[in-house]
């Protein structure tokens, strides 16, 4: 029964999330009941959706309870087992949360999944070949559903979702344009992720300026947009959408802190007969096998080479998470345990 | 060759449309070429979409050209014909525009359609059994696609689209709630159009007040919304939409005059995983036969009894149109010629 460091939600943010919303505690891992498995986490995932869970208000799903371990995806290995299908040493992906160990009821469908690290590094199962990758896949394939030759755009282009989106869209013959913050991220999007162009939103102080840049890089207009951000970027995108364009709404990170985030001209949804659809990938488990197969294949063939930002040790998680919300990470944000 | 009074667009509105944007002119109807038909209009239709056409800016479709006859749906009878399938006396529906007569190339598919007035009054082919009815049908059936027992809401509930929507939704077993302006319209929606409830938006000064009324009349939340208006009403609706709700965006009348009409909290599209889709019914001609069959049957069986507001004479059209934009009409706005 190893000792287990954990990070719990201590209190809810008022406005911006801060490090003191979290508290590091230590507990003992309990003895296993039948069908339970003890997993030692090697990496945990930090994702923007976690910010929504910190609020008490209605969001994606139930709020994160105060005093409980922060929710989150993890990869690791089985170190004790009372389930016949899991052996010590198995590499597994699950939702272990912000802690060093988790006790998992392995009989519960989907709670724990064994993964093969022959061609795909373990940590990628939290990113390109995990929830963020499937998120990109769902928004692109099921909502935007582009034809070859169409133009698709994604904000937060160099993040975990954006990286996968770029590779998936290029594989479908789309003109693929990213939006990211700063010249380094934009260069990386084009040079390493295969985007046809990437626009640095920090160079644009209003929607009209950004819309002008979009016009330059999307000369045939925009047919599909994957929304990770909201705010001024969405306003600018709407000015450039083609008739019958599709917008997959996956995140509105700028709005998580409670600041009102209006959409300037919703009438453009009508003018251009757009379809705007919000989704949460965990509600579409039926697509995961197909999506993960394609994503794994893109990684194995070198067509998807995602970058990772790795914080060291559980105690570093809160600062890394706050940095993620401000766009300080580069690619998938992980914590190595 | 009868003399033909016409109303042309003389100049474009700056802000609100005004009567002096229009000009009444008189011309001669030309001699017919082969396959042409001369139609004497009995009724012409006034519809909110016409306001968008008066602008120079990008809207639904091409702008209305200055100096040309205002576009619009018409019903009437054939008074001269050089097309073998149309005889003098045939009752027809078409897009004759704001004038007493139109010359139609009857060989052009869809340009002119003969109608049967045995069970459906001629004027209804401009409303419940015409474009507005099909508009309601498309938004309800193809976008909202409700299950029996779901709650659907429509703004401008007593207009031509709203009347048809109410009957179509009740026929599908939905709880059907209208939004309209004033107690008389609300009473009519419930007593004669079959709505389960109707909310007078004029009693509510902000989105929170209206959202409270929506909560009362939609105790199980809102699954589908048909948007004719935009602005504060849409803001309130978004606060009450259920997860996986669908919003058909057909009009944003409050925004036509160029005033910015922001959406206060677009993040709710994500939070509730909504689908928001704009459409224009003329782009979906494939559904018209099915929709018109159902609408005609609802009228013939007394389940859809739309009201009409009829202005007398072509010269009355501009004021009647401006009144329509301000919600002064009651039911379908027509001009009798």
């Amino acid at each position: 029964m190893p000792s287990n460091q954990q990070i719990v939600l201590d209190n809810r943010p008022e406005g911006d999330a801060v490090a003191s919303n979290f508290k590091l505690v230590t507990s003992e891992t309990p003895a296993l009941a039948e069908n339970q498995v003890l997993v030692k986490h090697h990496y945990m995932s930090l994702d923007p959706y976690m910010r929504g869970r910190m609020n008490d208000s209605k969001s994606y799903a139930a709020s994160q309870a105060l005093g409980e371990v922060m929710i989150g995806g993890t990869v690791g290995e089985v170190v004790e087992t009372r389930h016949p299908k899991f052996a010590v040493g198995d590499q597994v992906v699950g939702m272990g949360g912000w802690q060093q160990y988790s006790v998992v009821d392995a009989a519960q469908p989907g709670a724990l999944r064994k993964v093969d690290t022959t061609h795909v590094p373990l940590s990628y199962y939290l990113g390109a070949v995990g929830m963020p990758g499937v998120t990109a896949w769902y928004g692109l394939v099921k909502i935007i559903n582009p034809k070859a030759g169409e133009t698709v755009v994604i904000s937060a282009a160099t993040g975990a979702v954006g990286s996968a989106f770029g590779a998936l869209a290029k594989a479908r013959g789309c003109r693929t344009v990213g939006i990211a913050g700063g010249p380094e991220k934009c260069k990386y999007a084009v040079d390493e992720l295969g985007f046809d162009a990437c626009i640095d939103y920090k160079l644009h102080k209003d929607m009209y300026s950004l819309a002008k840049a979009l016009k330059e890089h999307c000369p045939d207009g925009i047919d599909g947009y994957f929304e990770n951000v909201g705010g001024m970027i969405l306003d600018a995108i709407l000015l450039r959408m083609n008739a019958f364009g599709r917008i997959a709404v996956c995140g509105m990170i700028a709005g998580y802190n409670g600041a009102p985030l209006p959409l300037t001209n919703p009438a453009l949804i009508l003018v251009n007969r757009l379809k705007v659809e919000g989704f949460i990938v965990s509600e579409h488990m039926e697509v995961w096998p197909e999506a993960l197969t394609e994503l794994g294949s893109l990684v194995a063939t070198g067509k998807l080479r995602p970058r990772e930002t790795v914080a060291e040790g559980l105690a570093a998680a809160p600062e890394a998470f706050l940095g993620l919300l401000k766009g300080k990470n580069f690619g998938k944000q992980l914590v190595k345990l």
Side-chain angles (χ1 to χ4, degrees), chain A residues 222 237-246 265-275:
Chain A
I222 301 171
I237 291 281
L238 277 179
L239 292 172
R240 293 289 165 234
M241 289 299 292
N242 288 331
F244 308 109
R246 292 83 64 194
N265 195 352
L268 292 170
I269 295 170
L270 171 59
V271 170
N272 290 321
R273 293 87 85 201
L274 304 180
K275 186 175 80 171

Side-chain angles (χ1 to χ4, degrees), chain A residues 12 51-64 255-256 258:
Chain A
R12 300 196 188 279
R51 178 63 188 85
R53 299 289 181 95
M54 295 172 74
N55 292 339
D56 204 15
S57 59
K58 190 178 179 187
S59 181
Y60 291 77
S63 287
Q64 167 80 47
Y256 284 168

Side-chain angles (χ1 to χ4, degrees), chain A residues 35 37 78 81-88 90 92 106 114:
Chain A
N35 285 329
V37 165
V78 173
T81 176
R82 289 193 62 192
H83 190 287
K85 294 210 173 145
F86 287 88
V88 169
D90 281 351
V92 290
K114 279 191 266 195

Side-chain angles (χ1 to χ4, degrees), chain A residues 283-311:
Chain A
E283 293 175 335
H284 304 279
M285 296 308 294
E286 73 286 356
V287 309
W288 283 55
E290 181 184 357
L292 290 174
T293 299
E294 181 175 356
L295 291 157
S297 162
L298 287 171
V299 166
T301 57
K303 287 176 186 153
L304 171 51
R305 289 172 309 196
R307 194 177 284 202
E308 297 174 337
T309 296
V310 182

Side-chain angles (χ1 to χ4, degrees), chain A residues 25-322:
Chain A
V25 301
T26 302
S27 70
E28 298 294 304
T29 59
L32 297 184
E34 197 183 338
N35 285 329
Q36 285 187 337
V37 165
L38 181 67
V39 180
K40 182 177 198 293
H41 301 155
H42 291 332
Y43 292 93
M44 54 180 252
S45 176
L46 296 177
D47 299 280
Y49 77 86
M50 296 166 175
R51 178 63 188 85
R53 299 289 181 95
M54 295 172 74
N55 292 339
D56 204 15
S57 59
K58 190 178 179 187
S59 181
Y60 291 77
S63 287
Q64 167 80 47
L66 289 179
E68 289 197 358
V69 175
M70 282 290 294
I71 194 173
T74 46
V75 289
E77 65 178 291
V78 173
V79 290
E80 270 186 61
T81 176
R82 289 193 62 192
H83 190 287
K85 294 210 173 145
F86 287 88
V88 169
D90 281 351
Q91 296 192 293
V92 290
V93 55
M95 288 295 285
W98 295 25
Q99 55 186 340
Q100 293 174 305
Y101 293 88
S102 61
V103 173
V104 184
D105 177 1
Q108 192 185 320
L112 209 60
R113 187 163 53 88
K114 279 191 266 195
V115 294
D116 179 354
T117 55
T118 314
H119 299 291
V120 175
L122 182 61
S123 62
Y124 281 25
Y125 288 104
L126 294 176
V129 192
M131 186 270 283
V134 180
T135 299
W137 192 94
Y138 189 89
L140 181 72
V141 175
K142 292 295 179 180
I143 297 179
I144 297 175
N145 188 22
K147 289 196 273 285
E150 286 193 326
T151 297
V152 298
V153 178
I154 189 167
S155 49
T158 62
V161 176
S163 306
F165 184 92
L168 292 166
K170 286 311 291 179
R172 282 160 180 75
C174 296
R175 177 168 178 84
T176 307
V177 175
I179 300 174
E184 196 196 355
K185 285 183 178 174
C186 286
K187 185 174 183 337
Y188 166 67
V190 172
D191 291 351
E192 295 185 46
L193 293 177
F195 281 87
D196 293 301
C198 187
I199 297 168
D200 180 359
Y201 71 83
K202 293 184 176 174
L203 297 179
H204 301 282
K205 66 179 187 310
D206 63 31
M207 62 190 271
Y208 300 105
S209 172
L210 181 55
K212 201 173 157 188
L214 284 165
K215 189 172 189 178
E216 180 185 335
H217 293 292
C218 307
D220 299 325
I222 301 171
D223 302 294
Y225 175 59
F226 191 106
E227 174 59 293
N228 280 314
V229 177
M232 185 262 271
I233 293 179
L234 180 55
D235 282 338
I237 291 281
L238 277 179
L239 292 172
R240 293 289 165 234
M241 289 299 292
N242 288 331
F244 308 109
R246 292 83 64 194
I247 298 181
V249 182
C250 170
M252 289 207 170
I253 197 170
Y256 284 168
N257 290 332
L261 187 80
L263 180 65
T264 301
N265 195 352
L268 292 170
I269 295 170
L270 171 59
V271 170
N272 290 321
R273 293 87 85 201
L274 304 180
K275 186 175 80 171
V276 182
E277 190 167 345
F279 74 102
I280 300 176
V281 73
S282 57
E283 293 175 335
H284 304 279
M285 296 308 294
E286 73 286 356
V287 309
W288 283 55
E290 181 184 357
L292 290 174
T293 299
E294 181 175 356
L295 291 157
S297 162
L298 287 171
V299 166
T301 57
K303 287 176 186 153
L304 171 51
R305 289 172 309 196
R307 194 177 284 202
E308 297 174 337
T309 296
V310 182
E312 292 287 335
L314 186 68
E319 285 300 342
F321 176 64
L322 301 176

